[in-house]
Amino acid sequence: MINFIVDIDSYFEKLKMTIDNVDRNEINTFINLLLKARDEGRHIFIMGNGGSAATASHSVCDFNKGVSYGKDRRFKFLCLNDSMATVSAYSNDVAYEVAFLEQLKNFVEPGDLVIGISGSGNSKNILLAIEYANSIGAETIGITGYDGGKLKFLAKYSVNANIHDMQISEDIHMILNHLCMKIISDMNSK
């Protein structure tokens, strides 16, 4: 067996520091937006690319089943990157930049919640979708890393993991998902 000496602690320290620096008011606002959408029977659309796509898909499972099963008030989460047939059709036939935008045009209504996850905050396909959602009166939130990029300012609301590290940013985004799920689950059980 090869025995490498690795620096695990520095990664954990960066992660802990980032957790400590995430704005609690942004998280509170996000939780309230989720609850408002649920209580008003609104759809919640979520999207991301790469690792953020996996986080978006994971969120749908956690909220549609994990927080909704057996409850009278249920979440209506839809992940715009989950239909590979649709995403690839738009990407091949039109452009990848419109793959989320065009899906929103089919379904989103004023008052729905649209969530874009982008580590850099500069993913063109997410920016176009958020811009459209804003234009029709949907609520929008950008979940970002780094300095938040354009998404932090384009979306009506933001949760930013302000660190120049994609993996730590993506860790924070998944923690945010589980944190919101846990808090809402605990609220539902009282």
Side-chain angles (χ1 to χ4, degrees):
M1 178 176 143
I2 299 173
N3 192 8
F4 292 102
I5 298 175
V6 294
D7 184 12
I8 297 166
D9 289 336
S10 67
Y11 188 90
F12 282 162
E13 288 303 319
K14 282 174 69 176
L15 180 59
K16 287 189 275 187
M17 176 197 70
T18 308
I19 289 169
D20 289 342
N21 290 330
V22 175
D23 187 325
R24 289 355 186 217
N25 290 323
E26 290 179 353
I27 296 171
N28 191 63
T29 297
F30 183 42
I31 292 168
N32 280 288
L33 287 168
L34 292 169
L35 290 170
K36 182 176 186 265
R38 180 201 63 188
D39 294 348
E40 292 179 357
R42 304 288 185 180
H43 288 96
I44 301 170
F45 299 93
I46 191 167
M47 66 199 125
N49 296 293
S52 297
T55 299
S57 188
H58 189 128
S59 298
V60 169
C61 173
D62 284 351
F63 281 87
N64 283 347
K65 192 269 181 189
V67 184
S68 295
Y69 180 73
K71 305 290 188 237
D72 292 333
R73 293 181 298 174
R74 300 169 75 102
F75 284 93
K76 297 178 181 180
F77 258 84
L78 297 164
C79 184
L80 298 179
N81 46 264
D82 274 356
S83 174
M84 281 310 302
T86 303
V87 171
S88 65
Y90 278 118
S91 298
N92 184 66
D93 300 343
V94 186
Y96 186 61
E97 288 80 13
V98 302
F100 300 145
L101 163 66
E102 290 299 327
Q103 290 181 76
L104 279 180
K105 287 180 177 180
N106 290 354
F107 300 109
V108 72
E109 296 179 357
D112 285 344
L113 177 58
V114 179
I115 304 166
I117 307 173
S118 173
S120 70
N122 293 313
S123 301
K124 180 103 176 172
N125 55 357
I126 291 174
L127 294 173
L128 289 173
I130 294 292
E131 186 175 57
Y132 175 75
N134 284 338
S135 78
I136 62 107
E139 297 290 351
T140 58
I141 187 158
I143 299 175
T144 59
Y146 293 78
D147 65 358
K150 295 174 184 174
L151 182 57
K152 181 177 178 180
F153 302 100
L154 180 62
K156 293 177 185 174
Y157 304 96
S158 171
V159 179
N160 178 239
N162 191 2
I163 187 166
H164 191 78
D165 184 304
M166 187 59 73
Q167 285 66 50
I168 300 283
S169 295
E170 289 179 348
D171 291 341
I172 297 298
H173 299 162
M174 185 53 72
I175 289 169
L176 176 65
N177 171 60
H178 286 152
L179 170 70
C180 293
M181 179 190 177
K182 179 73 171 145
I183 288 172
I184 292 170
S185 291
D186 288 350
M187 290 171 67
N188 284 342
S189 65
K190 293 178 181 175

